[in-house]
Amino acid sequence: MAEGGFDPCECICSHEHAMRRLINLLRQSQSYCTDTECLQELPGPGSPTGGDLTLPMIIMGWIVLALALFLLRPASMRRPGISNKPNSPFNMVQIKKICCIGAGYVGGPTCSVIASMCPEITVTVVDVNESRIKAWNSDTLPIYEPGLSEVVLSCRGRNLFFSTDIDSAIKEADLVFISVNTPTKTYGMGKGRAADLKFIEACARRIVEVSDGYKIVTEKSTVPVRAAESIRRIFDANTKPSLNLQVLSNPEFLAEGTAVKDLTEPDRVLIGGDETSEGQKAIRALCEVYEHWVPKSRIITTNTWSSELSKLAANAFLAQRISSINSISALCESTGADVEEVARAIGMDQRIGSKFLKASVDRDHWKKGDDQAAFYPHGDHP
Ligand SMILES: NC(=O)c1ccc[n+]([C@@H]2O[C@H](COP(=O)([O-])OP(=O)(O)OC[C@H]3O[C@@H](n4cnc5c(N)ncnc54)[C@H](O)[C@@H]3O)[C@@H](O)[C@H]2O)c1
């Protein structure tokens, strides 16, 4: 026992003796009245109520001071691309610049709609294909979609840019969409069946090579389940101390011919990410981009694998409907029924719905050897 200390185990002491020792001990603390009779608390330094609150009050003071300094720190001390929203003290990620790699049927229209809906966000769509980029910058866009040229004209040169300078766009972006093609493999394991991720992987290598600081990298392409793992593996193998890359999955559900409507009034937006706090922060940042025009109730957030699989499962369900109506079409031909009349009659049943009940020669949205194989990462499906 330290000198002058009070040891309750010294039970040989009388109660009175013990009390005296306790009072002596308390006297050593400047926080208490020296009147042995009253033991009343005196206000301690920095404490309006009592000395025993001094330490918590000091700690609270430091926390408040640290928080104030953190919030008021100059922009130069903040991580590039990240800023604190005025009302959110806990380092929310705010997307100011987006880069989309791949100026095709998905990347072009998707990013044009994002730019038109989010005038404060700068969107740069990049591609290795110079003629495609030239066309996006001309009066004759490389693809036709109803309403697309109006959307592009409303923001091109303002906050929407098309460029072949891929590295600069990646470097400057807070969020990078990977929206490149995922064709069927023509070599190696899964040849003729599995999706080829070589373009996605090339993008991942480019991103990690030219990036610094924090970035959200988002799969937009239709990929096999767990493709995000391959991207992360490339990031991890090439990481640098200054780098923090978060991977999200945000598959696109647009259909060619109705792309602008599908993008401006989507049935749902699906965003998948890590279940860690960093992952959730990245998901929130992307949600905020879509919330400019999509009701919150239509933005679904999941883990990464559910998001990747949901896109493939949606395509599979749509393909089943086309296969079903094609079978009915064959039956119509042999019975004299009209497939369009049958489709209308069954489609008005709300449990079935009217969409994707058009008989067609091929299985349109079920790109055999592409989406089908994508269920099986190694192309080993039956
Ligand atoms: N087309 C659709 O209706 C549709 C709908 C939903 C999802 N998807 C999926 O979206 C993805 C993209 O489809 P798309 O139709 O836009 O493809 P696309 O072929 O029209 O465009 C892909 C673009 O990516 C570019 N590219 C490839 N590798 C590159 C690299 N390393 N750096 C820069 N640019 C590169 C190509 O030059 C090309 O212009 C695919 O995975 C597809 O399955 C397509």
Side-chain angles (χ1 to χ4, degrees):
M1 190 74 213
E3 198 184 25
F6 173 68
D7 185 353
C9 293
E10 285 182 33
C11 37
I12 47 165
C13 300
S14 67
H15 176 70
E16 198 184 329
H17 184 206
M19 283 304 291
R20 242 197 326 273
R21 293 190 69 185
L22 175 61
I23 289 161
N24 274 340
L25 179 62
L26 292 174
R27 270 184 187 153
Q28 288 171 3
S29 154
Q30 296 296 304
S31 311
Y32 287 85
C33 176
T34 49
D35 180 349
T36 53
E37 295 300 321
C38 79
L39 273 181
Q40 192 185 345
E41 286 176 4
L42 283 176
S47 165
T49 54
D52 55 344
L53 288 181
T54 304
L55 191 60
M57 291 296 282
I58 289 172
I59 292 170
M60 278 295 288
W62 278 109
I63 290 172
V64 169
L65 186 64
L67 200 60
L69 287 173
F70 176 75
L71 292 177
L72 296 173
R73 73 198 190 284
S76 59
M77 287 174 68
R78 294 176 190 168
R79 284 188 291 173
I82 308 298
S83 68
N84 292 312
K85 300 200 117 190
N87 297 325
S88 75
F90 295 112
N91 196 23
M92 290 282 290
V93 180
Q94 193 178 14
I95 307 296
K96 291 178 178 164
K97 288 189 177 176
I98 290 176
C99 162
C100 174
I101 311 179
Y105 280 89
V106 169
T110 305
C111 284
S112 300
V113 168
I114 290 177
S116 80
M117 296 294 186
C118 312
E120 81 283 10
I121 298 179
T122 302
V123 183
T124 307
V125 186
V126 294
D127 204 296
V128 284
N129 185 331
E130 278 182 33
S131 61
R132 216 165 203 186
I133 290 298
K134 214 167 158 193
W136 278 110
N137 282 319
S138 76
D139 292 337
T140 317
L141 302 183
I143 59 174
Y144 175 75
E145 283 293 336
L148 181 60
S149 58
E150 288 84 344
V151 172
V152 172
L153 284 179
S154 73
C155 47
R156 192 174 62 192
R158 179 194 72 185
N159 66 325
L160 174 65
F161 302 93
F162 295 92
S163 165
T164 50
D165 188 354
I166 299 171
D167 289 359
S168 303
I170 294 173
K171 260 184 219 161
E172 287 175 16
D174 310 315
L175 184 142
V176 180
F177 283 119
I178 301 181
S179 186
V180 297
N181 36 331
T182 45
T184 307
K185 274 185 100 167
T186 54
Y187 58 91
M189 197 158 74
K191 176 183 171 183
R193 295 177 300 174
D196 194 340
L197 296 185
K198 68 178 174 194
F199 299 122
I200 303 247
E201 288 166 358
C203 292
R205 277 191 284 276
R206 203 79 221 124
I207 292 168
V208 72
E209 192 177 328
V210 304
S211 295
D212 257 321
Y214 180 93
K215 272 186 215 312
I216 300 171
V217 178
T218 305
E219 300 170 334
K220 206 24 123 181
S221 300
T222 305
V223 290
V225 185
R226 297 195 83 90
E229 212 164 40
S230 324
I231 296 177
R232 272 199 208 110
R233 225 176 287 132
I234 292 172
F235 289 166
D236 289 346
N238 298 281
T239 197
K240 334 166 198 177
S242 58
L243 205 53
N244 181 357
L245 298 173
Q246 287 297 311
V247 183
L248 296 183
S249 158
N250 173 218
E252 189 48 68
F253 293 98
L254 65 78
E256 288 171 29
T258 54
V260 173
K261 190 167 180 302
D262 294 340
L263 288 163
T264 52
E265 298 164 38
D267 290 341
R268 79 314 207 176
V269 167
L270 179 55
I271 302 172
D274 268 6
E275 284 160 317
T276 58
S277 64
E278 282 284 298
Q280 295 304 305
K281 201 161 75 172
I283 289 177
R284 184 91 282 284
L286 184 53
C287 283
E288 282 182 13
V289 172
Y290 284 108
E291 281 166 14
H292 280 76
W293 77 98
V294 181
K296 280 186 183 179
S297 58
R298 292 195 177 193
I299 302 175
I300 304 169
T301 60
T302 66
N303 75 33
T304 316
W305 323 125
S306 303
S307 171
E308 289 179 340
L309 184 58
S310 297
K311 167 65 185 172
L312 303 172
N315 281 1
F317 271 63
L318 293 174
Q320 279 176 11
R321 289 172 69 88
I322 294 171
S323 289
S324 300
I325 201 67
N326 279 349
S327 307
I328 299 297
S329 172
L331 218 53
C332 288
E333 277 173 28
S334 61
T335 59
D338 180 333
V339 70
E340 297 216 349
E341 288 176 352
V342 175
R344 186 158 169 258
I346 61 173
M348 284 179 77
D349 185 329
Q350 284 189 8
R351 292 167 305 173
I352 298 172
S354 61
K355 292 186 178 159
F356 269 73
L357 282 181
K358 255 201 157 15
S360 57
V361 278
D362 62 355
R363 293 184 299 163
D364 204 6
H365 272 67
W366 182 253
K367 288 171 270 168
K368 194 162 185 292
D370 184 349
D371 289 356
Q372 184 185 7
F375 275 112
Y376 307 91
H378 304 298
D380 49 359
H381 67 92

